[in-house]
Amino acid sequence: MADLKINLSEKDIPQKWYNVASDLPFKLPPPINPGTGKPLEKKDLRQIFPLSLIEQEMSEERWIEIPDEVTDILRIWRPTTLKRAVHLEKALKTKCRIYYKDESASPTGSHKTNTAIAQVYYNKKEGIKRLTTETGAGQWGSALSFACNIFGLKCRVYMVKVSYEQKPFRKSLMRMWQAEVVASPSTLTESGKKILKEDPNCQGSLGIAISEAVEDAAKDKATNYCLGSVLNHVLLHQTVIGLEAKKQLALAGETPDFLVGCVGGGSNFGGLIHPFVKDKLKKDSLRIIAVEPFACPSLTRGKYEYDFGDTASLTPLIKMFTLGHNFIPAGIHAGGLRYHGCSPLISALHDKKIIEARAYNQLDVFEAAVLFAKTEGIVPAPETAHAIKAVIEIAKSEKQGKCIVFNFSGHGFLDLASYDKFFNGELKNYSHPLKEIRAALKNLPKI
Ligand SMILES: *Cc1c(COP(=O)(O)O)cnc(C)c1O
């Protein structure tokens, strides 16, 4: 019988990150400085990012060395296991082979720790003492708090108010790792104050929290800002996932027919799929599928245009699939997928039809998550459950039996309150009205 757990040893942790930009058959549209209307220059970002990360952001080199100090921490949980979900396969009566890369094994419970460690390391190396960031569901906030605590930096997390109130245990984790957690919008920044003046009951959004964190970092020389997704350097740090998975699939004697991941800003998906993009370009039968919620459907219903990354229009303009930077998604529980935009790399791959995108409803997604927990035992994060829903649909429709690989981006042990709501019948489906999407898209910046 074949092994269900495909493990690598610590010496198999990748020594380099893979930069997919080096292998794309097209040029990526550059980020634009909204002040000048010209392509962004390195110096435009110096106020909030360390030079090493800016260089990675703009790099076209294929391989980028992972510093030993970073690997030293990654070793706590890497390499992660690639697991075969045979019990799920049985329940589905499918001939397909379903594998998942278990990123929930990281100390904070998701893939986000992979980039948090790298980002804090480079900031510390360039003399930064304090970092700010935003968090939606709290996964990124926990990951950055953990990393700051390890490297001895201070950390302030602007947490989207609706999650701040719904997810008290994520706050506890951040406090465990000595971070300061602030509900966003807050009165600590001009962007926050402005929003609260217009709407005192505003529940917040990732776009608003980003504005607050960026403003905070720009005010102080020793403070920088970190982003947990979307940007090229974040996806770069996540490629350890796909690089390991590739080795593991080879050990199992498999070549994937489907690669699947959920997409918020695109980092766990990019981390899994980027090392396979070259294979896709050679062999079109490989299908790469991004999964998002109907409540925040940037890839399936957004537009591929230049837009701001935040609500207050403080960030550079990036070309991405967007629902408009003023878009405030409904309070569905997959907090990590509630971003108005998407990574420029993933957006370009989607625009060029190298990847596909699908959207699902919240109730179908929770049902898929419960089936996974019943058969495989691990409780998925609601974000991860989107990938699982798509995998189940693929496994049911591929009667010949295919090899499906998905990224298990995180566990849902701190999301049990959402599962309770699901069991009590208190969760509803919500697909964002097209009319509202069109309205939010009217405010795209002109360049
Ligand atoms: C943040 C998060 C996501 C979504 O972010 P991406 O950058 O798209 O990966 C997905 N799953 C989990 C568990 C998360 O914490």
Side-chain angles (χ1 to χ4, degrees):
M1 236 176 25
D3 282 349
L4 296 191
K5 300 185 298 302
I6 302 148
N7 285 312
L8 298 171
S9 80
E10 280 174 34
K11 62 179 183 340
D12 293 313
I13 297 175
Q15 292 172 354
K16 291 171 182 164
W17 290 300
Y18 168 68
N19 181 8
V20 74
S22 64
D23 281 322
L24 295 179
F26 53 87
K27 265 241 166 288
L28 278 177
I32 301 280
N33 177 330
T36 62
K38 299 228 166 73
L40 203 67
E41 293 176 55
K42 286 182 186 162
K43 65 172 169 41
D44 300 335
L45 293 170
R46 283 310 300 272
Q47 221 179 3
I48 57 168
F49 290 122
L51 187 58
S52 36
L53 290 180
I54 299 171
E55 277 168 353
Q56 290 181 4
E57 188 62 26
M58 301 188 171
S59 171
E60 290 190 0
E61 259 172 68
R62 180 165 296 125
W63 296 101
I64 294 173
E65 200 89 35
I66 306 180
D68 289 343
E69 293 88 339
V70 171
T71 307
D72 228 34
I73 311 296
L74 294 183
R75 280 175 57 202
I76 295 175
W77 70 97
R78 304 212 73 85
T80 60
T81 306
L82 182 76
K83 296 180 179 163
R84 172 108 182 249
V86 276
H87 300 284
L88 176 64
E89 291 170 16
K90 269 197 201 122
L92 297 172
K93 300 190 174 71
T94 175
K95 281 190 189 161
C96 291
R97 283 129 22 239
I98 302 174
Y99 292 88
Y100 62 101
K101 182 73 171 151
D102 187 9
E103 292 298 306
S104 77
S106 99
T108 64
S110 84
H111 66 286
K112 295 221 172 63
T113 331
N114 296 328
T115 183
I117 297 295
Q119 291 191 42
V120 176
Y121 165 77
Y122 287 113
N123 273 291
K124 178 174 178 157
K125 206 169 155 219
E126 294 186 31
I128 292 299
K129 305 282 186 239
R130 176 177 172 266
L131 292 169
T132 64
T133 196
E134 72 294 328
T135 197
Q139 297 267 22
W140 169 240
S142 325
L144 193 71
S145 306
F146 169 71
C148 279
N149 194 54
I150 283 203
F151 288 108
L153 270 72
K154 285 194 182 143
C155 181
R156 179 187 278 170
V157 181
Y158 290 89
M159 184 170 188
V160 177
K161 195 182 273 165
V162 55
S163 306
Y164 185 91
E165 283 157 8
Q166 279 174 359
K167 311 215 161 169
F169 297 126
R170 278 279 159 203
K171 256 183 296 186
S172 320
L173 263 189
M174 290 184 253
R175 286 174 62 193
M176 176 102 60
W177 291 310
Q178 325 240 338
E180 181 194 353
V181 190
V182 174
S184 164
S186 77
T187 51
L188 298 176
T189 65
E190 294 311 313
S191 334
K193 281 191 235 170
K194 185 164 169 254
I195 296 224
L196 285 173
K197 208 169 145 195
E198 285 161 15
D199 177 10
N201 296 318
C202 179
Q203 288 299 289
S205 70
L206 273 176
I208 295 170
I210 294 175
S211 300
E212 292 206 272
V214 167
E215 184 189 320
D216 183 329
K219 275 195 290 223
D220 174 27
K221 245 185 132 47
T223 301
N224 267 351
Y225 163 75
C226 292
L227 188 61
S229 186
V230 180
L231 297 179
N232 301 348
H233 67 267
V234 180
L235 274 68
L236 176 80
H237 300 154
Q238 294 295 356
T239 56
V240 288
I241 301 172
L243 292 167
E244 287 176 8
K246 234 179 166 173
K247 269 194 194 169
Q248 288 162 311
L249 286 164
L251 283 177
E254 294 276 17
T255 14
D257 300 300
F258 289 88
L259 293 170
V260 182
C262 65
V263 170
S267 74
N268 87 84
F269 178 73
L272 173 70
I273 69 126
H274 281 176
F276 294 89
V277 165
K278 254 168 78 176
D279 305 332
K280 165 75 181 175
L281 294 172
K282 276 190 238 143
K283 184 175 151 219
D284 198 43
S285 61
L286 170 61
R287 292 180 58 191
I288 307 183
I289 299 177
V291 192
E292 59 184 15
F294 258 135
C296 194
S298 46
L299 289 172
T300 50
R301 289 186 160 181
K303 256 182 159 170
Y304 187 48
E305 295 285 355
Y306 274 100
D307 196 7
F308 291 104
D310 72 320
T311 307
S313 313
L314 302 175
T315 68
L317 295 168
I318 44 184
K319 185 143 185 191
M320 59 181 176
F321 276 89
T322 179
L323 295 163
H325 59 281
N326 301 120
F327 177 87
I328 298 190
I332 59 154
H333 284 281
L337 306 182
R338 298 171 68 233
Y339 183 61
H340 68 270
C342 186
S343 138
L345 278 167
I346 301 303
S347 295
L349 290 172
H350 183 47
D351 182 58
K352 297 281 191 266
K353 306 212 160 34
I354 296 170
I355 65 162
E356 305 162 46
R358 298 183 182 183
Y360 290 107
N361 273 317
Q362 170 154 271
L363 292 182
D364 297 338
V365 163
F366 268 86
E367 200 178 308
V370 171
L371 178 61
F372 190 87
K374 278 178 168 167
T375 49
E376 295 298 322
I378 315 182
V379 179
E383 293 87 351
T384 311
H386 287 73
I388 296 172
K389 171 65 184 163
V391 166
I392 291 176
E393 290 306 312
I394 296 164
K396 281 185 185 162
S397 64
E398 293 294 331
K399 304 286 185 219
Q400 306 303 325
K402 295 275 170 151
C403 174
I404 309 170
V405 180
F406 76 96
N407 198 27
F408 194 91
S409 57
H411 69 64
F413 288 156
L414 295 178
D415 300 285
L416 290 175
S418 331
Y419 281 93
D420 269 337
K421 281 196 174 157
F422 175 66
F423 297 137
N424 295 339
E426 291 162 21
L427 286 190
K428 284 201 268 313
N429 276 338
Y430 183 85
S431 90
H432 210 81
L434 272 175
K435 221 171 80 186
E436 276 187 41
I437 295 176
R438 282 197 203 107
L441 285 172
K442 284 222 172 83
N443 292 318
L444 289 184
K446 311 253 175 309
I447 61 153

